[in-house]
Amino acid sequence: GHLHALGILEEVHIDRRANAKATEAKMTTSHETATNQAPAGSGDPSYVEPAIRFLPKLAARALARPGKRAFVRSLLNTYHSNRLNLSLALPKGFRRATVRKIARRAVFTYVRNEAEYLAPRRWGPLPKSNSELIESALESGRGAVVACQHLGPQRYALLEVARKAPRVHAAVTEKFVSRLEKWLERLARDAGDREEAELAQRVEILTVEEPTCALKMVRALKRQEVVFFDVDGNIGVGGEERTRQGTLTLTCLGREIHVRKGVAYLSHRTGAPIVPVTTLWERQGPTVHFQPPLSPQDGESKEGYTERALDFLYGQLEETLLAHPEQWEMWPHFFKWVTPPEPLDLDETRLGDAQEELRRALRDASEVPLEADPQRVFVLRVRDKRLLVDREGFRFFLTSRGSELL
């Protein structure tokens, strides 16, 4: 149904009255089998796994239609990018078959989100927890900084915050401004007499790359309004090129990463509390979870508060990623945060010496003295390419069939 909303399955029709019981029984059985192999905490309804397994056939069908090719190719690119980054980023305990499944599920979550956003008239009551924390944060008289992540249907969090605040300023990257503007316009037009039509008009968009963005945020907080961040967007003035410059270094998923300080700096400067919020797909549908606010303590330095706040926010993100890796949209961008490995020394003389040493070892040994730990290094096939993945070095190399066999 979600794919049908995007126009991929106009020709597919389901006779629900004739097939409802058989389809439900088949999907439930399939889901129970798939759940035994799925990552913990997936919590999807019974139709999700069968739909995900059907995605390759849908992609092939859509590629045969010129009007859908660009869209499907973008999904295929997302799948391959997810798979590669998941292979590098996830802890060693995840098998490669599990990684492929998570990569497919991540694409499905993306399609599911987009389809859900386009049907406001079908939205039901949204389960949420601790939404009163927004109101209590605003009682401080200093506004509130809401810290969200790209998990599940995260645009719902924006609307839930707008439900509690007179004005919400959404800080987004310039690449996303046009999409968000169009969605808010469509929501205001198509939601009919639902409250969401009014909520869409309470949102103002700020472009984080603009030098004046921080000043606009401070002024909004002084008016006791809300500034809404996607913390894991990890971008600001200077764009991606400055993500590793002047940032805070933390550990996430066992990797040293560089994160922007803006959300904590803004909170410390204005005294506005940070309210963490997470959106997820769960069995009952999309859910929004608010957490207790973070605020600077008396006498706490800007640097101390920044490290405490961001360490908490990214710790919560890591915990959620390990439970619901398929619901994060930022896997293709995770590598941009990671401290790059030391460059390889490709001096021709030293490389030649190393190759000669390897030849002698192979020639003189009774057994091949080589062993590859598949948890540390393996070959990943992406379309017609073979990539030698070095997990510990967080890098990959183009390689050959011979290397894969070796």
Side-chain angles (χ1 to χ4, degrees), residues 88-119:
L88 289 166
L90 286 177
K92 290 183 180 180
F94 284 82
R95 295 180 297 132
R96 275 184 276 175
T98 303
V99 169
R100 287 195 298 271
K101 178 182 288 188
I102 294 172
R104 287 194 298 269
R105 292 169 65 91
V107 173
F108 179 79
T109 298
Y110 171 76
V111 174
R112 187 183 188 183
N113 290 343
E114 293 300 310
E116 187 79 11
Y117 296 150
L118 296 178

Side-chain angles (χ1 to χ4, degrees), residues 3 37 153 306:
L3 291 166
Q37 304 170 353
T306 297

Side-chain angles (χ1 to χ4, degrees), residues 76-90 96 99-104 106 255 330-335 378-383 385-391 394-398:
L76 291 174
N77 290 336
T78 300
Y79 164 72
H80 291 303
S81 182
N82 284 343
R83 186 180 165 208
L84 177 57
N85 280 279
L86 284 162
S87 298
L88 289 166
L90 286 177
R96 275 184 276 175
V99 169
R100 287 195 298 271
K101 178 182 288 188
I102 294 172
R104 287 194 298 269
R255 305 286 180 181
M330 297 301 290
W331 287 117
H333 304 275
F334 183 67
F335 75 94
F378 51 89
V379 174
L380 186 69
R381 296 189 188 185
V382 176
R383 293 182 175 173
K385 301 288 192 302
R386 289 177 171 83
L387 307 180
L388 181 67
V389 177
D390 172 16
R391 287 192 73 259
F394 204 87
R395 56 192 170 190
F396 63 90
F397 309 89
L398 288 174

Side-chain angles (χ1 to χ4, degrees), residues 22-58:
T23 301
E24 181 179 358
K26 183 177 180 180
M27 285 191 169
T28 302
T29 303
S30 300
H31 175 63
E32 289 173 352
T33 302
T35 301
N36 294 329
Q37 304 170 353
S42 56
D44 285 321
S46 58
Y47 68 85
V48 170
E49 282 295 341
I52 292 169
R53 287 197 296 273
F54 194 53
L55 277 176
K57 293 182 180 179
L58 296 181

Side-chain angles (χ1 to χ4, degrees), residues 23 46 49 61 82 129-130 134 153 156 169-170 175 223 232 238 240 255 298 312 322 332-333 347 351 354 361 374 397:
T23 301
S46 58
E49 282 295 341
R61 183 177 297 172
N82 284 343
S129 60
N130 302 324
I134 292 291
Y156 280 128
H169 302 263
K175 297 178 182 178
R223 295 193 298 268
D232 56 354
E240 294 177 354
R255 305 286 180 181
D298 292 340
F312 174 82
L322 293 175
H333 304 275
D347 177 81
L351 184 60
F397 309 89

Side-chain angles (χ1 to χ4, degrees), residues 149-190:
Q149 301 105 9
H150 290 84
L151 281 161
Q154 45 98 224
R155 292 187 210 173
Y156 280 128
L158 182 60
L159 295 180
E160 288 306 310
V161 172
R163 202 182 301 275
K164 302 292 184 178
R167 195 75 176 163
V168 180
H169 302 263
V172 300
T173 178
E174 58 190 2
K175 297 178 182 178
F176 187 64
V177 168
S178 176
R179 287 182 61 191
L180 184 56
E181 286 177 342
K182 291 178 181 178
W183 179 67
L184 291 172
E185 290 171 0
R186 179 168 182 165
L187 182 59
R189 182 182 69 246
D190 294 352

